[in-house]
Amino acid sequence: MPELPEVENARQVVEKALGRVIVSIDDTDSFECRPHMPGDIAHALKGGKLTEACRRGKAMWCETVTADGSSGPTLGIHLGMGGRVIVTAPDSDRTSQYGGGDPHVGERDTDKPEWTRFAMTFEDGGQLRLFDKRRLGRVRLEPDIDALGPDAAEITRDDFRHRIGSSGAPLKARLLDQAAIAGVGNLLADEVLWQSEQSPSRRAKTLTTEELDELRVVLRRAIRSAIKKGGVHTGEIIPFRKADAACPRCGAPMTRGTVGGRTTWWCSREQS
């Protein structure tokens, strides 16, 4: 599933839909829009506007107002494994299209109408669409985000020390725990642990305060880089997460294992 950087890129795309009057919504895909019935989301949002695009970790949602300007329901948009948000400009500038989500989905692919699972049309003629070939995304009203921990890009130093450093779980498993810290997925965790030369299976509570602080600095830097470059697939170690690969830093063989239930790659020398 997409990690924090991909969702942040999608959130920035959704910002281009803010303040535009919603005239119609296609929410007929009852699987993508579950548990709502067709027409439920349209009835709740038609005539209103999206006012703010928000994100915590991998969760994204929009605040809304109704046609009379009062506060409307929250609209959650989940990209799933390969979803992509497309926002098109007004009729006066049909050449403008902005996409955010899966970087492997090309613009030509998004022309397939059968893979658009949710569409919101604005008074100016533009649209917001959730393109989802694999049909694993989700659009719903009033999503529950209370179970998520602090955002990985914004967590404070003291909070990071407590939430990561107090756990007896393997370090990678703790980073992947969305209730502890929200937004870190499998690839980002491997990238951050490789950059900081930490073993993914080391018990989190054995890290010193200095090691925890350095890990947080590396995590924030890796997130900023991935957002700028288009996703976690741009990380330095990602191309070397494969059999017979060598660590690009020291040349030692890369090792594969399972940590926290996820396939994990690490340097056999520097992260032992």
PDB file of all heavy atoms in Angstrom, residues 114-135:
ATOM      1  N   GLU A 114     -13.282   2.745 -17.002  1.00  0.00           N
ATOM      2  CA  GLU A 114     -13.741   1.624 -16.170  1.00  0.00           C
ATOM      3  C   GLU A 114     -12.906   1.488 -14.893  1.00  0.00           C
ATOM      4  O   GLU A 114     -13.308   0.774 -13.963  1.00  0.00           O
ATOM      5  CB  GLU A 114     -13.703   0.316 -16.964  1.00  0.00           C
ATOM      6  CG  GLU A 114     -12.315  -0.149 -17.395  1.00  0.00           C
ATOM      7  CD  GLU A 114     -11.898   0.395 -18.757  1.00  0.00           C
ATOM      8  OE1 GLU A 114     -12.411   1.469 -19.151  1.00  0.00           O
ATOM      9  OE2 GLU A 114     -11.066  -0.259 -19.416  1.00  0.00           O
ATOM     10  N   TRP A 115     -11.765   2.136 -14.830  1.00  0.00           N
ATOM     11  CA  TRP A 115     -10.929   2.067 -13.636  1.00  0.00           C
ATOM     12  C   TRP A 115     -11.073   3.297 -12.745  1.00  0.00           C
ATOM     13  O   TRP A 115     -10.373   3.437 -11.748  1.00  0.00           O
ATOM     14  CB  TRP A 115      -9.468   1.858 -14.029  1.00  0.00           C
ATOM     15  CG  TRP A 115      -9.218   0.493 -14.606  1.00  0.00           C
ATOM     16  CD1 TRP A 115     -10.008  -0.611 -14.480  1.00  0.00           C
ATOM     17  CD2 TRP A 115      -8.102   0.084 -15.401  1.00  0.00           C
ATOM     18  NE1 TRP A 115      -9.468  -1.685 -15.147  1.00  0.00           N
ATOM     19  CE2 TRP A 115      -8.286  -1.285 -15.722  1.00  0.00           C
ATOM     20  CE3 TRP A 115      -6.968   0.724 -15.883  1.00  0.00           C
ATOM     21  CZ2 TRP A 115      -7.390  -2.008 -16.499  1.00  0.00           C
ATOM     22  CZ3 TRP A 115      -6.063   0.014 -16.650  1.00  0.00           C
ATOM     23  CH2 TRP A 115      -6.263  -1.343 -16.951  1.00  0.00           C
ATOM     24  N   THR A 116     -11.983   4.198 -13.101  1.00  0.00           N
ATOM     25  CA  THR A 116     -12.324   5.310 -12.221  1.00  0.00           C
ATOM     26  C   THR A 116     -13.428   4.843 -11.282  1.00  0.00           C
ATOM     27  O   THR A 116     -14.537   4.539 -11.713  1.00  0.00           O
ATOM     28  CB  THR A 116     -12.789   6.539 -13.025  1.00  0.00           C
ATOM     29  OG1 THR A 116     -11.686   7.043 -13.784  1.00  0.00           O
ATOM     30  CG2 THR A 116     -13.288   7.635 -12.091  1.00  0.00           C
ATOM     31  N   ARG A 117     -13.116   4.762  -9.997  1.00  0.00           N
ATOM     32  CA  ARG A 117     -14.041   4.180  -9.022  1.00  0.00           C
ATOM     33  C   ARG A 117     -14.895   5.229  -8.310  1.00  0.00           C
ATOM     34  O   ARG A 117     -15.920   4.884  -7.710  1.00  0.00           O
ATOM     35  CB  ARG A 117     -13.249   3.384  -7.977  1.00  0.00           C
ATOM     36  CG  ARG A 117     -12.261   2.396  -8.557  1.00  0.00           C
ATOM     37  CD  ARG A 117     -12.926   1.345  -9.420  1.00  0.00           C
ATOM     38  NE  ARG A 117     -11.943   0.390  -9.929  1.00  0.00           N
ATOM     39  CZ  ARG A 117     -12.223  -0.626 -10.731  1.00  0.00           C
ATOM     40  NH1 ARG A 117     -13.481  -0.832 -11.111  1.00  0.00           N
ATOM     41  NH2 ARG A 117     -11.277  -1.435 -11.169  1.00  0.00           N
ATOM     42  N   PHE A 118     -14.470   6.476  -8.364  1.00  0.00           N
ATOM     43  CA  PHE A 118     -15.195   7.556  -7.697  1.00  0.00           C
ATOM     44  C   PHE A 118     -14.877   8.834  -8.444  1.00  0.00           C
ATOM     45  O   PHE A 118     -13.720   9.079  -8.816  1.00  0.00           O
ATOM     46  CB  PHE A 118     -14.748   7.670  -6.235  1.00  0.00           C
ATOM     47  CG  PHE A 118     -15.353   8.829  -5.493  1.00  0.00           C
ATOM     48  CD1 PHE A 118     -16.594   8.712  -4.892  1.00  0.00           C
ATOM     49  CD2 PHE A 118     -14.665  10.031  -5.380  1.00  0.00           C
ATOM     50  CE1 PHE A 118     -17.150   9.788  -4.193  1.00  0.00           C
ATOM     51  CE2 PHE A 118     -15.209  11.100  -4.689  1.00  0.00           C
ATOM     52  CZ  PHE A 118     -16.449  10.981  -4.089  1.00  0.00           C
ATOM     53  N   ALA A 119     -15.887   9.642  -8.696  1.00  0.00           N
ATOM     54  CA  ALA A 119     -15.666  10.893  -9.428  1.00  0.00           C
ATOM     55  C   ALA A 119     -16.527  12.004  -8.846  1.00  0.00           C
ATOM     56  O   ALA A 119     -17.706  11.802  -8.542  1.00  0.00           O
ATOM     57  CB  ALA A 119     -15.975  10.719 -10.912  1.00  0.00           C
ATOM     58  N   MET A 120     -15.909  13.151  -8.708  1.00  0.00           N
ATOM     59  CA  MET A 120     -16.578  14.344  -8.205  1.00  0.00           C
ATOM     60  C   MET A 120     -16.436  15.429  -9.266  1.00  0.00           C
ATOM     61  O   MET A 120     -15.321  15.780  -9.645  1.00  0.00           O
ATOM     62  CB  MET A 120     -15.916  14.775  -6.884  1.00  0.00           C
ATOM     63  CG  MET A 120     -16.439  16.053  -6.278  1.00  0.00           C
ATOM     64  SD  MET A 120     -15.528  16.441  -4.745  1.00  0.00           S
ATOM     65  CE  MET A 120     -16.102  15.121  -3.656  1.00  0.00           C
ATOM     66  N   THR A 121     -17.554  15.943  -9.771  1.00  0.00           N
ATOM     67  CA  THR A 121     -17.523  16.961 -10.822  1.00  0.00           C
ATOM     68  C   THR A 121     -17.855  18.320 -10.228  1.00  0.00           C
ATOM     69  O   THR A 121     -18.782  18.449  -9.422  1.00  0.00           O
ATOM     70  CB  THR A 121     -18.526  16.624 -11.938  1.00  0.00           C
ATOM     71  OG1 THR A 121     -18.200  15.343 -12.491  1.00  0.00           O
ATOM     72  CG2 THR A 121     -18.473  17.661 -13.054  1.00  0.00           C
ATOM     73  N   PHE A 122     -17.093  19.330 -10.643  1.00  0.00           N
ATOM     74  CA  PHE A 122     -17.261  20.672 -10.097  1.00  0.00           C
ATOM     75  C   PHE A 122     -18.033  21.570 -11.055  1.00  0.00           C
ATOM     76  O   PHE A 122     -18.121  21.302 -12.256  1.00  0.00           O
ATOM     77  CB  PHE A 122     -15.897  21.281  -9.779  1.00  0.00           C
ATOM     78  CG  PHE A 122     -15.071  20.450  -8.845  1.00  0.00           C
ATOM     79  CD1 PHE A 122     -13.920  19.800  -9.284  1.00  0.00           C
ATOM     80  CD2 PHE A 122     -15.451  20.290  -7.523  1.00  0.00           C
ATOM     81  CE1 PHE A 122     -13.168  19.017  -8.436  1.00  0.00           C
ATOM     82  CE2 PHE A 122     -14.704  19.506  -6.654  1.00  0.00           C
ATOM     83  CZ  PHE A 122     -13.556  18.864  -7.113  1.00  0.00           C
ATOM     84  N   GLU A 123     -18.547  22.651 -10.520  1.00  0.00           N
ATOM     85  CA  GLU A 123     -19.323  23.603 -11.298  1.00  0.00           C
ATOM     86  C   GLU A 123     -18.529  24.180 -12.465  1.00  0.00           C
ATOM     87  O   GLU A 123     -19.097  24.529 -13.508  1.00  0.00           O
ATOM     88  CB  GLU A 123     -19.793  24.730 -10.375  1.00  0.00           C
ATOM     89  CG  GLU A 123     -20.793  25.686 -10.973  1.00  0.00           C
ATOM     90  CD  GLU A 123     -21.263  26.688  -9.946  1.00  0.00           C
ATOM     91  OE1 GLU A 123     -20.400  27.294  -9.262  1.00  0.00           O
ATOM     92  OE2 GLU A 123     -22.491  26.861  -9.803  1.00  0.00           O
ATOM     93  N   ASP A 124     -17.205  24.255 -12.314  1.00  0.00           N
ATOM     94  CA  ASP A 124     -16.356  24.819 -13.376  1.00  0.00           C
ATOM     95  C   ASP A 124     -16.015  23.814 -14.476  1.00  0.00           C
ATOM     96  O   ASP A 124     -15.298  24.124 -15.416  1.00  0.00           O
ATOM     97  CB  ASP A 124     -15.068  25.408 -12.796  1.00  0.00           C
ATOM     98  CG  ASP A 124     -14.228  24.380 -12.027  1.00  0.00           C
ATOM     99  OD1 ASP A 124     -14.359  23.161 -12.299  1.00  0.00           O
ATOM    100  OD2 ASP A 124     -13.431  24.785 -11.159  1.00  0.00           O
ATOM    101  N   GLY A 125     -16.529  22.584 -14.359  1.00  0.00           N
ATOM    102  CA  GLY A 125     -16.287  21.568 -15.376  1.00  0.00           C
ATOM    103  C   GLY A 125     -15.155  20.608 -15.070  1.00  0.00           C
ATOM    104  O   GLY A 125     -15.014  19.586 -15.737  1.00  0.00           O
ATOM    105  N   GLY A 126     -14.329  20.910 -14.078  1.00  0.00           N
ATOM    106  CA  GLY A 126     -13.244  20.014 -13.695  1.00  0.00           C
ATOM    107  C   GLY A 126     -13.738  18.877 -12.818  1.00  0.00           C
ATOM    108  O   GLY A 126     -14.906  18.840 -12.407  1.00  0.00           O
ATOM    109  N   GLN A 127     -12.834  17.952 -12.523  1.00  0.00           N
ATOM    110  CA  GLN A 127     -13.197  16.786 -11.730  1.00  0.00           C
ATOM    111  C   GLN A 127     -12.102  16.413 -10.738  1.00  0.00           C
ATOM    112  O   GLN A 127     -10.926  16.743 -10.927  1.00  0.00           O
ATOM    113  CB  GLN A 127     -13.443  15.567 -12.629  1.00  0.00           C
ATOM    114  CG  GLN A 127     -14.749  15.547 -13.374  1.00  0.00           C
ATOM    115  CD  GLN A 127     -14.976  14.183 -14.016  1.00  0.00           C
ATOM    116  OE1 GLN A 127     -14.050  13.550 -14.532  1.00  0.00           O
ATOM    117  NE2 GLN A 127     -16.219  13.714 -13.976  1.00  0.00           N
ATOM    118  N   LEU A 128     -12.503  15.693  -9.707  1.00  0.00           N
ATOM    119  CA  LEU A 128     -11.612  14.916  -8.853  1.00  0.00           C
ATOM    120  C   LEU A 128     -12.003  13.463  -9.055  1.00  0.00           C
ATOM    121  O   LEU A 128     -13.179  13.111  -8.899  1.00  0.00           O
ATOM    122  CB  LEU A 128     -11.744  15.306  -7.390  1.00  0.00           C
ATOM    123  CG  LEU A 128     -10.848  14.556  -6.381  1.00  0.00           C
ATOM    124  CD1 LEU A 128     -10.580  15.431  -5.162  1.00  0.00           C
ATOM    125  CD2 LEU A 128     -11.457  13.224  -5.917  1.00  0.00           C
ATOM    126  N   ARG A 129     -11.027  12.609  -9.416  1.00  0.00           N
ATOM    127  CA  ARG A 129     -11.319  11.198  -9.664  1.00  0.00           C
ATOM    128  C   ARG A 129     -10.358  10.311  -8.877  1.00  0.00           C
ATOM    129  O   ARG A 129      -9.176  10.644  -8.728  1.00  0.00           O
ATOM    130  CB  ARG A 129     -11.177  10.862 -11.157  1.00  0.00           C
ATOM    131  CG  ARG A 129     -12.175  11.569 -12.048  1.00  0.00           C
ATOM    132  CD  ARG A 129     -12.069  11.073 -13.481  1.00  0.00           C
ATOM    133  NE  ARG A 129     -10.902  11.594 -14.172  1.00  0.00           N
ATOM    134  CZ  ARG A 129     -10.003  10.863 -14.812  1.00  0.00           C
ATOM    135  NH1 ARG A 129     -10.109   9.549 -14.844  1.00  0.00           N
ATOM    136  NH2 ARG A 129      -8.997  11.434 -15.442  1.00  0.00           N
ATOM    137  N   LEU A 130     -10.867   9.207  -8.389  1.00  0.00           N
ATOM    138  CA  LEU A 130     -10.011   8.165  -7.811  1.00  0.00           C
ATOM    139  C   LEU A 130      -9.885   7.064  -8.849  1.00  0.00           C
ATOM    140  O   LEU A 130     -10.840   6.337  -9.126  1.00  0.00           O
ATOM    141  CB  LEU A 130     -10.598   7.609  -6.510  1.00  0.00           C
ATOM    142  CG  LEU A 130      -9.802   6.451  -5.895  1.00  0.00           C
ATOM    143  CD1 LEU A 130      -8.381   6.878  -5.554  1.00  0.00           C
ATOM    144  CD2 LEU A 130     -10.494   5.906  -4.648  1.00  0.00           C
ATOM    145  N   PHE A 131      -8.703   6.979  -9.442  1.00  0.00           N
ATOM    146  CA  PHE A 131      -8.409   5.950 -10.431  1.00  0.00           C
ATOM    147  C   PHE A 131      -7.776   4.776  -9.694  1.00  0.00           C
ATOM    148  O   PHE A 131      -6.759   4.939  -9.006  1.00  0.00           O
ATOM    149  CB  PHE A 131      -7.451   6.523 -11.487  1.00  0.00           C
ATOM    150  CG  PHE A 131      -6.951   5.513 -12.468  1.00  0.00           C
ATOM    151  CD1 PHE A 131      -7.653   5.246 -13.633  1.00  0.00           C
ATOM    152  CD2 PHE A 131      -5.770   4.815 -12.234  1.00  0.00           C
ATOM    153  CE1 PHE A 131      -7.191   4.308 -14.536  1.00  0.00           C
ATOM    154  CE2 PHE A 131      -5.303   3.873 -13.131  1.00  0.00           C
ATOM    155  CZ  PHE A 131      -6.019   3.625 -14.283  1.00  0.00           C
ATOM    156  N   ASP A 132      -8.351   3.599  -9.813  1.00  0.00           N
ATOM    157  CA  ASP A 132      -7.911   2.465  -8.998  1.00  0.00           C
ATOM    158  C   ASP A 132      -8.095   1.161  -9.764  1.00  0.00           C
ATOM    159  O   ASP A 132      -9.129   0.495  -9.655  1.00  0.00           O
ATOM    160  CB  ASP A 132      -8.708   2.438  -7.689  1.00  0.00           C
ATOM    161  CG  ASP A 132      -8.217   1.380  -6.725  1.00  0.00           C
ATOM    162  OD1 ASP A 132      -7.149   0.797  -6.961  1.00  0.00           O
ATOM    163  OD2 ASP A 132      -8.911   1.147  -5.713  1.00  0.00           O
ATOM    164  N   LYS A 133      -7.106   0.797 -10.534  1.00  0.00           N
ATOM    165  CA  LYS A 133      -7.173  -0.405 -11.366  1.00  0.00           C
ATOM    166  C   LYS A 133      -7.442  -1.651 -10.531  1.00  0.00           C
ATOM    167  O   LYS A 133      -8.235  -2.521 -10.921  1.00  0.00           O
ATOM    168  CB  LYS A 133      -5.869  -0.562 -12.148  1.00  0.00           C
ATOM    169  CG  LYS A 133      -5.796  -1.799 -13.021  1.00  0.00           C
ATOM    170  CD  LYS A 133      -4.464  -1.856 -13.769  1.00  0.00           C
ATOM    171  CE  LYS A 133      -4.354  -3.110 -14.628  1.00  0.00           C
ATOM    172  NZ  LYS A 133      -3.067  -3.160 -15.358  1.00  0.00           N
ATOM    173  N   ARG A 134      -6.824  -1.756  -9.368  1.00  0.00           N
ATOM    174  CA  ARG A 134      -6.937  -2.966  -8.552  1.00  0.00           C
ATOM    175  C   ARG A 134      -8.150  -2.959  -7.625  1.00  0.00           C
ATOM    176  O   ARG A 134      -8.415  -3.937  -6.947  1.00  0.00           O
ATOM    177  CB  ARG A 134      -5.650  -3.155  -7.747  1.00  0.00           C
ATOM    178  CG  ARG A 134      -4.406  -3.256  -8.627  1.00  0.00           C
ATOM    179  CD  ARG A 134      -3.136  -3.418  -7.832  1.00  0.00           C
ATOM    180  NE  ARG A 134      -3.066  -4.702  -7.160  1.00  0.00           N
ATOM    181  CZ  ARG A 134      -2.029  -5.101  -6.413  1.00  0.00           C
ATOM    182  NH1 ARG A 134      -0.991  -4.294  -6.252  1.00  0.00           N
ATOM    183  NH2 ARG A 134      -2.034  -6.266  -5.834  1.00  0.00           N
ATOM    184  N   ARG A 135      -8.844  -1.843  -7.565  1.00  0.00           N
ATOM    185  CA  ARG A 135     -10.072  -1.715  -6.781  1.00  0.00           C
ATOM    186  C   ARG A 135      -9.853  -2.039  -5.301  1.00  0.00           C
ATOM    187  O   ARG A 135     -10.659  -2.709  -4.651  1.00  0.00           O
ATOM    188  CB  ARG A 135     -11.161  -2.623  -7.361  1.00  0.00           C
ATOM    189  CG  ARG A 135     -12.590  -2.124  -7.091  1.00  0.00           C
ATOM    190  CD  ARG A 135     -13.606  -3.086  -7.651  1.00  0.00           C
ATOM    191  NE  ARG A 135     -14.968  -2.626  -7.422  1.00  0.00           N
ATOM    192  CZ  ARG A 135     -16.005  -3.427  -7.311  1.00  0.00           C
ATOM    193  NH1 ARG A 135     -15.841  -4.731  -7.414  1.00  0.00           N
ATOM    194  NH2 ARG A 135     -17.211  -2.942  -7.126  1.00  0.00           N
TER     195      ARG A 135
END
